[in-house]
DNA sequence: ATGAAAGCGCTAACAT
DNA sequence: ATGTTAGCGCTTTCAT
């Protein structure tokens, strides 16, 4: 029975009924006389019949498949989104068509365009600028995006990055930090909002923020960026990183440079990735509830697909939660960031802070 | 143009040719007179025509989609497999239909059965016992599995768990460890092989292995299992964990119990997850090249699909690599595991080792 | 309650 | 090089 799977016609013949009857039976569209029902059950069981979803989809126009386009499955933020989306999809008997665009903008559009044809709807996480999203909507399939769009009335879910930035800054300020740096990731759509939140808070204390940029949202980039901050002219006493991955890399490299953490510098990130907890010092972060973001995105999409779009259309926002761990500690008064008496190989690379 | 996407017939009409011509043009199956080609290009561009992959698949019997069934996308081992598989799939213009079975055996079979109907082939990672794999093969689609099957001649990729276990044990033994414990995960198919490798090595030194079991392959389970080992009657001076997640959890809990790592106990895991490097102490592990496993699995499957199955059919094995970091250190002679003079809250829970 | 027939959008012979 | 035609496996009116 390798080739030529049994079709609806085979079943119809075996049960002595029409194909229409079999179809109705398979879809539970109708009631049957016990005799017919028994023969159908028998024939289907006998032949091991399973209806062909492709043929079905072609007629109904629905595939029970949701396209999920993300930037990098290895980034725990996206991993969680996939996990959440998958769970809800499974509950509703939908399957996930996954596309990992590998952070490549060129590929992205092509991939998403062909994805659109194979699914009932899409959830897409992208670095597309806000104003070049129109084509996505024109694909004719319901879409849920991440982050709020200023120009379009799109269904989307996000978190309050502004608030998240404020929370972290506020936390550090209350710990007595004065020289706060932000190691961001400029290509991200949320970078500016986070900066804004941080600055909002610093302003209240009359402090300013030094902004640096990592080359990618990864631990490796955090490592690379570390020496620039820690051995530069304006060594901070606390660093807020664009995400936990960057923070983790930063911590590792800082220790290798001879710094003692969190004593010499407090570090915090965003995302609350699963393994920040197991780093040392355990990482202070802001939890964006990424798994729930995935769940919510899928719920919204499915609702839209099933015509109950009113329930939670438009933009939904999840609350960020501050998770304080060991990587951020109190900076005592008078304990200037560069005032330690420790010796360090790279001491020569340091100058007085401005 | 929301509903009623343009079909091949619309294009044929607009270009003044037959549908067959359009089809051939779309598939590049044939050459055309410049005039016709121009009109086709024009009409397609004008109407924004994109051929319907469902209809196409129904005839060709191919979907250019590969099903990928894994146990938990959040486990970095699987995340890497997905990454690798996705990359190769993309290169060959295939898409991934992802199924995260959430470690649920019941769901698994149903999910995979329906998955089989929508894809050209499948890559599945499962905890199915070796002898209940027949139904999977009977689904009539090419399958690539992980781990070697003893009973069937299936295409599969794996690593030498036996050797991996041996490597880790050997590493610890050379560091002077004597009381080695294994915190395994009995439900895994590879657990026994790892134990075997470890014992192979221990036997050479005339040492025995204490085996414990974690409830799941997660950090949380590692945390839960820790006190049982460290405060039990046979406190080890080195612990090999089923995977890095368990090891990470174990490390965290051990420190919270008041132990100093790696001084009191060396810890090692398997998988070399990305964040083991950022833990403290950085985790010694065995790298299974999971991303390459994903790539290789996809390559094998695609080869099979394209009729070049000879090239690398059957079982392929990747080499494990020992990655030594800070979590395993030399145990000096006479420095018995329970001989420290440290005080610890739970000291009362300890007895002399047998 | 059941069946006949008309497609869904496309490809694949087989003409021409 | 282009067109005709017969389906792929299924759902869906519309009859009966």
């Amino acid at each position: 029975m390798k080739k030529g799977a049994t079709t609806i016609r085979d079943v119809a013949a075996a049960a002595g009924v029409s194909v229409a009857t079999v179809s109705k039976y398979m879809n539970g569209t109708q009631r049957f006389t016990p005799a017919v029902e028994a023969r159908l059950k028998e024939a289907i069981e006998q032949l091991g019949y399973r209806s062909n979803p492709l043929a079905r989809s072609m007629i109904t126009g629905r595939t029970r498949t949701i396209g999920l386009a993300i930037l990098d499955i290895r980034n725990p933020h996206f991993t969680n989104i996939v996990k959440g989306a998958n769970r809800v999809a499974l509950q509703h008997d939908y399957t996930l068509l996954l596309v990992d665009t590998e952070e490549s903008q060129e590929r992205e559009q092509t991939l998403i365009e062909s994805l659109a044809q194979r699914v009932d709807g899409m959830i897409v996480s992208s670095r597309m600028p806000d104003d070049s999203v129109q084509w996505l909507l024109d694909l004719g399939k319901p879409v849920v995006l991440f982050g709020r769009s200023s120009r379009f009335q799109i269904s989307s879910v996000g978190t309050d990055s502004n608030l998240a930035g404020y929370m972290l800054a506020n936390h550090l300020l209350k710990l007595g930090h004065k020289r706060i740096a932000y190691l961001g990731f400029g290509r991200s759509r949320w970078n500016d909002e986070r900066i804004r939140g941080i600055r909002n808070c610093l302003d209240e204390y009359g402090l300013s923020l030094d902004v640096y940029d990592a080359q990618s949202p990864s631990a490796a980039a955090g490592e690379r960026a570390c020496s620039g901050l820690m051995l530069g002219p304006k060594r901070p006493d606390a660093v807020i990183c664009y995400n936990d991955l960057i923070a983790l890399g930063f911590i590792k490299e800082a220790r290798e440079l001879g710094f003692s953490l969190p004593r010499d510098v407090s570090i915090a990130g965003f995302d609350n990735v699963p393994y920040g907890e197991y780093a040392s010092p355990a990482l202070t972060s802001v939890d964006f509830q990424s798994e729930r973001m995935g769940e919510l995105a899928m719920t919204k999409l499915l609702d839209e697909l099933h015509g109950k779009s009113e329930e939670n259309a438009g933009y939904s926002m999840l609350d960020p939660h501050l998770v304080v761990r060991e990587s951020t500690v109190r900076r005592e008064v008078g304990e200037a960031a560069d005032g330690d008496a420790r010796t360090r190989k790279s001491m020569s690379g340091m100058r007085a802070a401005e």
Side-chain angles (χ1 to χ4, degrees), chain A residues 22-335:
Chain A
V22 181
S23 171
K24 284 162 190 157
Y25 178 80
M26 292 300 289
N27 296 302
T29 321
Q30 204 191 251
R31 293 188 40 128
F32 301 88
T33 46
V36 171
E37 178 154 358
R39 269 150 53 208
L40 279 169
K41 194 172 288 180
E42 162 74 9
I44 289 169
E45 166 74 18
Q46 193 69 30
L47 278 56
Y49 171 70
R50 323 220 66 197
S51 82
N52 180 333
L54 254 61
R56 180 174 216 287
S57 292
M58 224 178 84
I59 295 178
T60 62
R62 269 162 282 109
T63 59
R64 295 203 83 80
T65 302
I66 300 298
L68 182 46
I70 57 172
L71 296 165
D72 177 14
I73 185 64
R74 272 190 306 211
N75 183 321
H77 175 65
F78 296 117
T79 313
N80 281 330
I81 286 179
V82 172
K83 187 75 180 182
N86 177 75
R87 176 171 306 125
V88 175
L90 243 48
Q91 277 163 10
H92 296 260
D93 209 28
Y94 274 76
T95 314
L96 246 48
L97 210 38
L98 182 74
V99 171
D100 182 325
T101 58
E102 309 223 328
E103 297 262 2
S104 147
Q105 301 258 18
E106 321 151 42
R107 271 183 166 172
E108 188 176 63
Q109 180 157 352
T110 320
L111 285 170
I112 292 180
E113 276 172 359
S114 71
L115 181 65
Q117 301 195 85
R118 329 188 95 271
V119 300
D120 294 348
M122 300 187 290
I123 297 175
V124 2
S125 174
S126 162
R127 303 212 186 290
M128 286 183 279
D130 234 34
D131 45 332
S132 67
V133 166
Q134 190 57 51
W135 67 268
L136 224 186
L137 273 27
D138 291 342
L139 257 25
K141 302 278 181 165
V143 183
V144 174
L145 262 33
F146 292 104
R148 191 210 307 270
S149 167
S150 45
R151 305 167 77 99
F152 303 100
Q153 192 62 358
I154 312 176
S155 196
S156 63
V157 1
T159 43
D160 193 336
S161 292
N162 196 342
L163 174 56
Y166 189 96
M167 287 170 116
L168 230 37
N170 188 48
H171 167 65
L172 291 171
L173 259 19
K174 284 197 310 194
L175 287 176
H177 292 284
K178 297 270 186 278
R179 300 150 172 256
I180 299 182
Y182 174 69
L183 176 52
F185 175 58
R187 292 218 311 280
S188 162
R189 321 175 55 204
W190 300 289
N191 197 53
D192 290 346
E193 249 187 282
R194 289 181 194 174
I195 292 178
R196 199 151 49 85
I198 296 169
R199 286 218 161 105
N200 278 167
C201 189
L202 291 194
D203 283 351
E204 295 173 11
Y205 289 69
L207 295 172
S208 69
L209 180 73
D210 287 329
V211 175
Y212 300 79
D213 207 64
Q215 287 161 30
S216 77
S218 67
E223 289 186 55
R224 279 196 299 274
C226 181
S227 59
L229 292 211
M230 295 303 289
L231 305 179
K234 303 177 69 176
R235 190 177 129 207
D237 60 6
V239 180
I240 300 177
C241 299
Y242 169 74
N243 69 12
D244 286 356
L245 261 32
I246 293 176
L248 253 20
F250 192 97
I251 286 176
K252 187 190 176 204
E253 178 66 11
R255 294 180 126 197
E256 265 164 30
L257 288 175
F259 291 95
S260 156
L261 268 59
R263 203 190 64 179
D264 291 344
V265 60
S266 285
I267 308 288
F270 294 92
D271 276 356
N272 190 27
V273 302
Y275 309 113
E277 181 180 355
Y278 300 103
S280 178
L283 189 61
T284 292
S285 187
V286 177
D287 192 331
F288 283 145
Q289 307 188 65
S290 39
E291 189 168 338
R292 295 191 55 186
M293 283 178 72
E295 290 179 359
L296 185 53
M298 184 58 77
T299 303
K300 285 173 89 94
L301 188 55
L302 260 24
D303 278 357
E304 202 165 327
L305 250 25
H306 299 150
K308 24 183 175 175
S309 22
E310 328 78 29
E311 288 183 27
N312 52 15
Y315 179 65
S316 300
M317 201 170 70
L318 257 26
D319 286 332
H321 295 304
L322 182 65
V323 180
V324 177
R325 297 207 185 88
E326 303 154 8
S327 68
T328 48
V329 292
R330 174 159 300 283
R331 176 97 21 224
E332 298 306 337
V333 188
E335 184 187 356

